[in-house]
Structures are given as structure tokens and as C-alpha cells.
Amino acid sequence: MSAPNKSYDPVEVEALKPEVVEAARDEALAAFAAATSLDELKQAKVAHTGDRSALSLANREIGALPPHAKAAAGKLIGQARGAVNQALAKRQGELEAERDARVLVEEAVDVTLPYDRTPRGARHPLTTLAERIEDTFVAMGYQVAEGPEVEAEWLNFDALNLGPDHPARSMQDTFFVRAPDGSADSGVVLRTQTSPVQARTLLDRKPPVYVVCPGRVYRTDELDATHTPVFRQVEGLAVDEGITFADLKGTIEQLVSTLIGDGLELRWRPSYFPFTEPSAEIDLQCFVCRGESVGNPDRPCRTCGSEGWIELGGCGVVNPRVLVACGVDPDRYSGFAFGLGLERILMNRHNVADMRDMVEGDVRFTLPFGMEI
Amino acid sequence: MRVPLSWLREYVDLPAGETGRDVAERLVRAGLEVETVEQIGGDLKGPLVVGEVLSIEELTGFKKPIRHCWVNVGEANGTGDPQEIVCGATNFAVGDKVVVVLPGAVLPGPFPIAARQTYGHTSAGMICSARELGMGDDHDGIIVLPPEYEPGTDAIELLQLVDEVLDIAVTPDRGYCLSMRGVAREAAAAYGLPLADPALLDVPPANSFGYLVKVNDPAGCDRFVARTVVGIDPAAKSPIWLQRRLQKAGIRPISLAVDITNYVMLEVGQPLHAYDKQRVDGPITVRRAEPGESLTTLDGVKRTLSAEDLLICDNSGPIGLAGVMGGASTEILDPAAGPGTTEVIIEAAHFDPVAIARGAKRHKLPSEASKRFERGVDPEAARAAAQRAVDLLVLIAGGTAEAGVTDIAAPHPVRTITIAADLPDRVAGTGYGRETVTRRLQEIGCSVSGADVLEVTPPTWRPDLTDPYDLAEEVIRLEGYDNVPARMPTVPPGKGLTEAQRTHRRVGVALAGAGFVEVNNYPFVGEASFDALGLEPDDRRRRTVTLVNPLNDEEPGLRTTLLPGLLGALRRNIGRGNTDLAIFETGTVFLPKDELSVAPRPAVDRRPSAEELAALDAALPHQPRRVAVALAGERLPSGWWGKGSAAGWADAIEAARAVARAAGVELDVRRGQLLPWHPGRCAELVVAGTDRVVGHAGELHPRAVKALGLPERTAAMELDLDLLSADGAVRVDGPPVSGFPVATQDVALIVDAAVPAAEVEAALRAGAGELLEAIRLFDVFTGEQVGEGRKSLAYALRFRAADRTLTADEASAAREAAVAEAVARTGAVLRGA
């Protein structure tokens, strides 16, 4: 590079002569235009815009010019470089578009190839159904309570107003646990209902009590399409001042609306349970046929067996004797309780034809239910 | 209880157009569980008429007897000429009145009737059997009618072939509905119609010359009415109407005296027993059994009696199991087998429900009588029921009622219940008002007096009504549950799920997210379950809670481990062609306590004492919640992308870590040894920083795998969730995140093959100090280069400081310190050093 010199005549600097600059520019434009691939363009870019390119070298000469000459030379080089960069960007765009149109197409894969490398899992629908019901009640302010499956007879029967000779006690075919002496008088059974959790809760907590109790229960039924000796219930219990049958009705209606949907009629049938009085069975209008299959052999309904109603479960106002046995003052407090059979709800809500499928653990049954229902 | 609609109408004047379904709907809403409404003879179509057999020609040359008959059917065939009919039955004679179905009719089936050629003759119709008419299955022969009916009379009405029957499942509190009287009372209330009570009869008063009866156990038998009828025609048969009502109610007609007692029981609800008076030896005594006594009951079974059994006896000893079943020795005699019974004693008694319930249970003899006594029979109906039976025996069997009337009654206290008139309002949450309450209680037979506080005397047939709430229920039920308003209680704010409940949900979600499918197995196990696992004879897990009455005698125990059920489900899936499996189960196991005890049965008129409650819980086994997984086949499937990987011991341990992470707990893994796991491939799972073993994971022992019929290398894990989260929830503090660059250093260490990698890692961590951010084992290598019985472990160490960029020297120093610690603790040699 020449040293700054006041008498230096820029015309004498070969590289800054306009015709030389213009030639370098034109050469670059021609090279870009001639590039047929992004690789060739990259080479042309290095050659014509890199540190060693003619225009870069010429640009460096400007620094050595006398001040009065710098502006003109700078403008000359700047214009040339601008044109070159513009042409480069333009060609870059053209070639990228070309590549996108051609190369990325060549890179195409068959995205319909099955990709199921991550094993799929699922939770059992009875588990998730219980959780959904729990959540409905938790949202109302209830707590979830649990109790043991092997339970004292006193809690499973006596505390619930089922004395030793109560006819209802033989209705529930109970598994009895063998006593230490080998006899049947252990006072311990496999719970036949989730209701002992009611008693436990009342013995544990002071009212107001609002709990739901999901759990497995046992009766000596043989497994078939509609029975299983081990099944699940969800029990609900509310004990507070001024609780009435009307509160029970409102609560069950809320549950049905959340769990199954609106617009279905409920039928409240008087029934009998020793631990509630009055007692009721709740029937839900069949949501498949809406009762239209009743007495109509041409349109049988599998879901309700053409009865028009589906049994949801039993309920009632807590018998004051239960409150007394659990140390709750029946003159101050009253309550309601209900129990729902989850298997039956699952069968109805999800069109499960055979209860055995819920029991046998075949993964093909459970997988479609995923993580929630 | 089967209730024929035609019979029900006798006591309640139901609207004419009301169908069985309509009545059922009303009764259901009043609390009777009508299970079915059976249409009897719904597809039956006449002409079906009375015929008189004019002639019988026995045809020969066929495989079975065939008769060619001419039958007078009156004008029913339109001509008045005799009808020509071929018949295969032989139990009728010329002159008998029979039931004839004519061409054009349809019998139940449906089975259309037409004239046809058969056995060389024309058969224009059929002579019918009871079975063909849908009257019952137990008579094969032709129905031979009493002689008084005119040929040509419509037999559909005569035999009451068209009817509807409501089948009602009666709940234990409504014993009175095991009678027409009780159901009619409910129907009357439901329709607001009057009831014609069949128990309202004129009954002569008791006198001193009735059959001699002694009641030695007035607690067991507080009422005993006895009547006698003599001069009965032993050949008299039950009339058609009586037989038909019994058949529709589901009771087989047997003989006139027995049919009458059954009929009255169905009508009034009072079980009766008829003794052949001439076979009873002396006075009747009611007492408990004595040691060594036995009784042969009507069903021919000789029963050894227990001291608690309540008996009916005569001089010969027991002649009946009171309220359950009569004895064979005084049974009414069948006239077909000799001289029939001509004199009977009718017993209408009232027995203690508990005594009868226990007796029926003890002898496994639930009878129509015991079913009613257990649920409570109206003690005041005994006299009317006996009278009704006497009347029928006189009317139908031509007997003479003797004037003696025995009626032994223990004093029955009048039960009066005091109820606040607004109690039903407060229970239901609505306003009925005192007048409605009073009216409804009167409708069910109560006598009611008082104003704001009512004095209510329930009727004798409602022993279930004992307290004010029973009465409130009656009012609410009769007013209709549908008419109770719905409202929501004001629930105080809740706290949501407990920490344990949230953890249980997270564990399920974590395992399902990791590709495991949840199963639920029965908890029943037997010795074979433990044998298959290969457990030692003295293994603690063989000690189970045992059931007295298991479903399957081979599996009397409750699980002490989830594995038997889970591995059973695994095998079942494999058997169905599901080969690549990862399944899990959560649930309780049942571990007997060291000290076994019997649970007490505290009184129920108060809260149990703290000691009683403790004793209740002490009698229960430990019931911890467990989670278990089992894997077989490929864990990661092979596919077009390349080879997958087989499920194995490491997947089982990884599942345990997933569970622990979901519970917010870090697990340490140690080499373990527990059957049914492979002795060299079993990990003991320990809560980090403690010595608390919470479970095991790894590959199953090959012997267990073989015994269970599972694929080789099946892996499993079982972990105690309660133990895992015993420390409660840990609140995580947010870690400071350093923005300074990371320095990564690799190190390969050669150690003895027996040295657990976990120890090497622990040493490296300890030695590296605070600058170590993460450590990762990226290669395990064995081979000649590292020497026999040795392995090379290659780790990537990531160092970072919170406050500065580490220099290369600092990072190297930390690495050297880490290596030095590993060398010191595990005898490791730096590879390549």
C-alpha cells in the first residue's frame, strides 16, 4: 500500500481507476450470474467479495489518498460493492429457491411409515372413572377418604345398623376371614361395601363431614358377564346441620350432569338399606334409547335391556342409629349417603358389554382408555 | 312375590284399563321393586273350549299308543257335530270333560292349530295338556276337568289363561308385602283407592275345647292358633281357580289341604301348617330341641337338631321345625297311595324372627314360611288366616269345622311412637304439613293422635316401624321421592386431595406415561401361587390372611405380594397373543400381624371407647399399598428404524425410579437377593440417604419363570408406596442456575467386575466436590484390553461454577480429585494412565 502523500494523484493509483473498478464489478456480476449452484456461488462470493478480491483491495487504497480525493474514490468503490452485493443476494435467492424446489424434494421421506417406537401405556378405566367422580366432589369441597379392604365386621355391619341377625346381612354374601383359632368368628370380613369408610370417617372427624370414598369391595358372586366378586364402589357421605333428602337429590343430579350429561330424567325409587332412612335406588333414564325401547320389541335397547332405566346406585338419609354408633349427635346433625357401582357405570357410559373384560387385564381392553376418561 | 294382576284386582278396584306395566310403575315409585311383568297367555288365541269325550278308538300298529276320538264341543265348531281328534295321551276316558283347541286357534309358543291328516285319520284340533296351555311344566297328561262344565264353554276364561304377573323382589323391611294383602295395601295407597282386606273375617272367640297346645317357649312363639276340621273328603281336589292362582304365584299345587294352606299364606301372609290330625299323638307342644333329638322333615331329610331349634312336638317327639318346615310323620296323606287324610289340624302361629332366621340358616332350609317369619308376620292375622283355611276346607273339601278354637297369645305390648309432626318435613327438606303426615300414616294402617307431636301406633303387620324416622320415611315415600325438591348443600371449602392421594395418582400417570398398562387382579392366592414363585417353605409371604369361604378352595388366602396376580395377568395376555408387554398394578396387600386377635363387637347405642376402636384395628392385618410392574417381550420394538430392545432387568429398575420420581423420592439401588428374582439380577431399592428398603426389581428367577410359564428373562418390580413416601412431601427449593460456561471432562476407570457402578459413581461425586454439576456413565466395557474379571466404566463429568468461568486447570483438578476418591474407595485404575 502507498503511503499518504499530499501530492499523490489518485489517478495514478491503478486500482482506483474507474475503468478498473468497473471491470472488477462487471467481472463479479458475470461470475455470480454464471454460478449454477450454491457451492459455485459461494466460491464466486469468496473470489469477488472476499478480503483478497479486487474491490476489497481497492477499498484499502482509499486510506492512502489525500483527503480531497477520498470522497470520490469512496463513492466509486462503494457503488461498485453495492452493486456486487445486491447481485450476490439476488443470485443467492434464486439458487436457494432452485435448491428448495429440487433438492428438498429429493430428500423427501415416507412420513407414513409407522413410527410407534415409544411403547404406549394406559390407566385402567375403573381407576380413572373413580378419579373423575372424586374430582367432581372435590370441586364441590368434599375430601376423599379411604379405608381398609379387610375390615372389622362391626364397621362393615353393626355400626351401619345391620345387627347379627339382620336379614340384609345374609343378602350380602360375605367373605369371612378365618380367626386365629381356625373358626369363622374372627369379627373380620372382606368389606362388602365402601360404607364402613362412612363409619370410620364419622369416628375420625367432627362434623361437618363431606367425603367420597372410592374402593374395592367383595361379595361371594361368581364372575360372569354382569357380576364380579371383586368390584368397586364410590361412597359419598355428607353430615352437617340441616342436611335433608333434598340435598341428596341436588348432589346426585349435579354428579349425573357432570359425569353423564344433562337432560336425562332420574327416577328415585324407595328402597331399603339398613344404614339409611329414607332409602332410595336411583335410576337414570337410558341415555341410548331414552325409554323408547320399553314395550317396543322392534327397537330393543342393549344398554338398558329395554327397561328404559339404568340403575345408578343406592342412597338415602343417614339412619340416626349410624350417627349414634359413631358418636355423632343425631339431634343436631343429619346426613345423606350414597353408593355407586363403578363397573356398572363404566359398562353404561362406555358401552362395555362384558364385565369380565374389566377383570382379566387384557391390555387390548385397557389401552384405548388412555390416561383419563 | 309373584302377584297375578287378576288376583290383585280382587282387593283393590283398579281402573279397568290399567295394565300390569302401569301398576308396576306405580308400585315401583312406592318402593316395591317390581322386577318383571310377565304376560301370561299373551299370544294365546281361541277357540279353546270344554269338550266331552264321546268315543275312543285305540289305534294299533304304531310305536306309541294313539287314540282316535270323537269329542262333543257343543256349538263351538259352528256345526254342533262331534269333532274328530287324534290324541297321543291316554289319561282320559269316555265321558271325561277335556280342553279342546280347534283349528284356527293359536297356542302359546306361538303354535298355530290347523286340521291335519295323521295316523290315517283327520285330526281337527287337539286335546290339551297343561304344558301346552302354558299353565306349568309339571303335568304331562291331558287336563281332565270336573264334570260340571258344559261342552263348548270357553276354556280361556275358565282356566284363566290370560293374565299378567308382577314379580316383586321384597326388601327385608317389607315382610308384609310377601302377601296379596300387603301388596294390595300398597296398590290401594298408590292409587288412592280403598282396600278390601282379606284378613277382615268373622272369627269365633277362643275357647277351652280346642286342640290342646302347650307353648313352653313364649319368647320363641308368642301366638299359636289351632283349628280342626273333620270329615274331609280325601278325594276332593283343588278347584281350577285355586290351582291357577297358586301356579301363577309360582307354587305347585299338591293336594287340597296343602294347597289351601299355601293359598291362605299367599293371600294373608300368614304361613300355615296342616297336620293329619289322626297321625298327631296327643297334645302339641312348642319347645326348643333337646340334645340328641332328630326330625325327618317333609322333604324326606333326617335332620339332627340343635338346642336352639324351635320345635313343634307331640307325644312322639318333634313333628315340625317351627316356622321352617313340617315333619314327615304327620304329613297330609296322598289319597292315591292309600286312605287319604280326613281330619286336619290347622296351625297358624307367630314365631320369633331371629329364631326362625337362625334355624333356616342352620339347616340350610329357606322355605316360603321361614322367609316370611324372618321378615316379620302380622301376629294378629293368625286367627283370620286359620279361619280362612277352615272356611275353604269346609267349602271345597266338604269338611266340618269343629267348634274348638285354640288361641294362645303371649301379651303383645302396644308400640307407640312419638314423632314430631314436622319430622318428615325436616328429613325431606320440604313442607308436607301435619294433615298430610297424619293422612299418610293412617293410610298404611297406623292410628294417629296429637297435634305438633303425634302419638302413632303402627299396625301389627308393620314390625319394621319402630322409630320416628321409620314413620318419616313412610310419609316421604308415599308422597313420592320425585316430589322432593333438589338443592345443593353448602359445603365448607375443601382442601383437595391429600398428598398421598396425589402421589398415588402421579404414580399411575407416570407408569402409564412410561408405557405400562394398568391391570386389576383379584387378591386371592393359594400355596400353589407361592410354590410357583419358588418361595422357601418358611418365607414370611406364605403367611396369609385366610378366608373361611373362598371362591376357590385352592386359593383361600389374600395376597401378600402383588406378583402372583400380576404375573398371572402377564401370562393371560401372552396366551392371547399380546407378546410385548409392560403392565402394572397398584393395590393393597394383606400382611397378618405378629399378634393375631379377634375383633370385638362393641354395642351400637354409643360411640365405641378408644380401647374398643384400638381393638378393632388391632384385629385387622397390615394393608400397605404396593405398586408392581411386569415386563416381557420387547420393551422398545424393532421396526423399520432398526432393532429394538428386549425388556429386561434394567427396565424393571427404571420403572421403580419412575415411581419414586413421581413420589418425589430418590432411590438408591443396591445388589439384592430375594425370590422370585434372579439371584444375580435383583436390585434392592432403598430410599436415598436412608437404609429403608422399599422394594425389589430385576429379572425373575429362571425357575419361577418356567413354573409360571412365562417367557425367558421376564422382569418385575414390586415396591411399597407407603414406605416410599413415609417421609412425607419434600418441598423443593429452586436451584440457582449458573450462566457460566460448562467444562466437560471424560474419565474411564477400570475396576473389578464385582464392584457396583453405583459405588464408583458415588466415589466420583464425593471426590469431585461442589464444582461437579452432573455425571453420566456413557460406556461399560469388558474385554481383553481391560483384563479378565475387570470392567471399564467411562464417565462424562460436567463441571461448572456458580460465579466464574472455570479454568482448564480448575476442571482438571476437580477431575483428578474425583478419580483419586474412586481409586481410594473402589480400587479403580484410570484407563490409559
Side-chain angles (χ1 to χ4, degrees), chain B residues 558-632:
Chain B
L558 298 182
R559 65 188 180 193
T560 51
T561 154
L562 299 180
L563 292 180
L566 189 65
L567 296 174
L570 193 72
R571 189 181 47 218
R572 204 152 47 237
N573 269 289
I574 291 166
R576 294 178 180 185
N578 308 326
T579 48
D580 300 330
L581 288 161
I583 57 176
F584 80 100
E585 177 168 14
T586 61
T588 45
V589 296
F590 307 88
L591 310 176
K593 288 181 176 154
D594 292 333
E595 300 244 334
L596 297 174
S597 62
V598 168
R601 298 271 289 276
V604 292
D605 57 354
R606 55 168 172 83
R607 179 188 165 94
S609 68
E611 293 74 39
E612 285 169 332
L613 287 176
L616 285 176
D617 278 334
L620 303 182
H622 290 298
Q623 299 177 56
R625 194 178 177 92
R626 297 260 179 97
V627 58
V629 308
L631 304 109

Side-chain angles (χ1 to χ4, degrees), chain B residues 422-712:
Chain B
D422 68 344
L423 183 68
D425 298 10
R426 282 185 280 130
V427 171
T430 187
Y432 295 120
R434 186 201 308 158
E435 276 169 29
T436 303
V437 170
T438 303
R439 177 171 55 82
R440 286 301 189 183
L441 290 176
Q442 284 167 341
E443 261 176 28
I444 59 166
C446 296
S447 57
V448 184
S449 65
D452 288 347
V453 173
L454 304 176
E455 297 287 323
V456 179
T457 307
T460 51
W461 59 85
R462 292 298 301 270
D464 60 306
L465 301 179
T466 61
D467 69 34
Y469 291 89
D470 296 329
L471 300 178
E473 174 177 50
E474 292 297 305
V475 173
I476 299 166
R477 146 180 105 80
L478 292 170
E479 282 293 299
Y481 285 1
D482 289 330
N483 295 323
V484 175
R487 72 165 199 221
M488 286 292 281
T490 311
V491 186
K495 291 179 181 164
L497 298 177
T498 64
E499 209 47 57
Q501 287 159 354
R502 294 160 71 92
T503 299
H504 293 157
R505 286 192 180 190
R506 282 197 306 272
V507 165
V509 170
L511 285 174
F516 290 83
V517 178
E518 187 176 16
V519 297
N520 292 315
N521 294 295
Y522 291 171
F524 307 120
V525 294
E527 282 302 313
S529 320
F530 299 123
D531 293 344
L533 294 181
L535 303 191
E536 300 292 345
D538 60 348
D539 192 295
R540 201 181 161 79
R541 285 167 290 178
R542 285 186 184 268
R543 205 171 144 247
T544 60
V545 173
T546 307
L547 299 177
V548 176
N549 53 337
L551 276 186
N552 168 0
D553 288 338
E554 303 299 309
E555 296 186 330
L558 298 182
R559 65 188 180 193
T560 51
T561 154
L562 299 180
L563 292 180
L566 189 65
L567 296 174
L570 193 72
R571 189 181 47 218
R572 204 152 47 237
N573 269 289
I574 291 166
R576 294 178 180 185
N578 308 326
T579 48
D580 300 330
L581 288 161
I583 57 176
F584 80 100
E585 177 168 14
T586 61
T588 45
V589 296
F590 307 88
L591 310 176
K593 288 181 176 154
D594 292 333
E595 300 244 334
L596 297 174
S597 62
V598 168
R601 298 271 289 276
V604 292
D605 57 354
R606 55 168 172 83
R607 179 188 165 94
S609 68
E611 293 74 39
E612 285 169 332
L613 287 176
L616 285 176
D617 278 334
L620 303 182
H622 290 298
Q623 299 177 56
R625 194 178 177 92
R626 297 260 179 97
V627 58
V629 308
L631 304 109
E634 283 189 323
R635 174 69 171 133
L636 294 175
S638 302
W640 56 265
W641 52 79
K643 208 151 164 46
S645 68
W649 60 271
D651 297 302
I653 298 172
E654 195 187 10
R657 288 196 191 282
V659 168
R661 262 199 306 278
V665 175
E666 274 302 314
L667 275 189
D668 279 346
V669 172
R670 300 198 292 227
R671 173 161 293 171
Q673 202 147 39
L674 180 73
L675 286 168
W677 280 279
H678 185 306
R681 298 184 169 192
C682 172
E684 189 173 72
L685 309 166
V686 188
V687 172
T690 73
D691 226 14
R692 196 161 77 234
V693 177
V694 294
H696 292 81
E699 186 179 310
L700 292 180
H701 196 292
R703 276 208 306 272
V705 165
K706 192 170 170 217
L708 290 163
L710 294 171
E712 284 179 18

Side-chain angles (χ1 to χ4, degrees), chain A residues 113-117 119-124 126-127 131 134-135 138 140-146 148-155 158-159 164-165 167-169 171 174-180 183-188 190 200 202-203 208 210 216 218 220-223 228-230 232 240 242-247 249-251 253-254 265-272 277-281 294 309 317 320-321 324-327 330 336 359-364 366-367 371, chain B residues 21 25 28-33 35 171-173 354 357-358 361 374-375 425-429 466-467 469-470 473 476-477 481-498 501 504-505 508-509 511-524 545-551 558-559 569 572-573 576 578 581-585 588 590 596-608 613 616-617 619-621 623 625 635-637 640-641:
Chain A
L113 281 172
Y115 197 79
D116 47 2
R117 196 153 61 165
R120 271 198 307 156
R123 307 179 70 207
H124 199 279
L126 287 172
T127 310
E131 288 180 4
E134 285 166 29
D135 289 346
V138 166
M140 295 182 206
Y142 284 58
Q143 314 263 328
V144 178
E146 288 150 313
E149 293 173 18
V150 173
E151 181 60 286
E153 258 188 84
W154 189 83
L155 283 155
D158 303 48
D165 292 302
R169 216 156 151 154
M171 268 175 15
T174 310
F175 287 109
F176 289 91
V177 166
R178 202 173 282 291
S183 75
D185 304 320
S186 61
V188 177
L190 278 177
R200 283 185 173 275
L202 290 176
L203 288 165
Y210 290 86
R216 295 221 291 187
Y218 300 82
T220 56
D221 289 325
E222 294 287 338
L223 175 65
T228 156
V230 183
R232 294 196 189 205
D240 203 342
I243 290 287
T244 66
F245 196 85
D247 296 303
K249 283 188 74 173
T251 304
E253 283 180 9
Q254 176 68 30
E265 203 187 318
L266 284 174
R267 180 169 76 168
W268 296 77
R269 269 191 294 127
S271 186
Y272 171 73
E277 183 162 49
S279 303
E281 296 264 9
V294 181
W309 299 98
V317 174
R321 288 168 204 224
V324 168
C326 297
F336 66 70
V359 169
E360 289 172 345
D362 192 314
V363 297
R364 293 169 300 169
T366 303
L367 270 170
M371 308 291 268
Chain B
R21 274 201 175 279
E25 181 66 26
V28 162
R29 291 194 187 255
L32 292 184
E33 196 175 320
E35 295 197 314
T171 51
D173 60 327
V354 171
R358 288 187 183 166
K361 207 165 159 185
E374 266 178 63
R375 289 163 169 77
D425 298 10
R426 282 185 280 130
V427 171
T466 61
D467 69 34
Y469 291 89
D470 296 329
E473 174 177 50
I476 299 166
R477 146 180 105 80
Y481 285 1
D482 289 330
N483 295 323
V484 175
R487 72 165 199 221
M488 286 292 281
T490 311
V491 186
K495 291 179 181 164
L497 298 177
T498 64
Q501 287 159 354
H504 293 157
R505 286 192 180 190
V509 170
L511 285 174
F516 290 83
V517 178
E518 187 176 16
V519 297
N520 292 315
N521 294 295
Y522 291 171
F524 307 120
V545 173
T546 307
L547 299 177
V548 176
N549 53 337
L551 276 186
L558 298 182
R559 65 188 180 193
R572 204 152 47 237
N573 269 289
R576 294 178 180 185
N578 308 326
L581 288 161
I583 57 176
F584 80 100
E585 177 168 14
T588 45
F590 307 88
L596 297 174
S597 62
V598 168
R601 298 271 289 276
V604 292
D605 57 354
R606 55 168 172 83
R607 179 188 165 94
L613 287 176
L616 285 176
D617 278 334
L620 303 182
Q623 299 177 56
R625 194 178 177 92
R635 174 69 171 133
L636 294 175
W640 56 265
W641 52 79

Side-chain angles (χ1 to χ4, degrees), chain B residues 4-19 23:
Chain B
L5 191 59
S6 60
W7 193 357
L8 185 65
R9 286 179 182 276
E10 194 168 297
Y11 314 113
V12 190
D13 189 16
L14 298 169
E18 213 66 355
T19 65
V23 176

Side-chain angles (χ1 to χ4, degrees), chain B residues 52 86 122 131 139 200 303 345 368 378 430 532 579 599 628 795 832:
Chain B
E52 180 185 7
V86 175
T122 299
R131 186 193 300 256
H139 290 295
L200 279 182
R303 298 171 189 276
I345 307 168
E368 291 291 332
D378 181 0
T430 187
T579 48
Y795 293 91

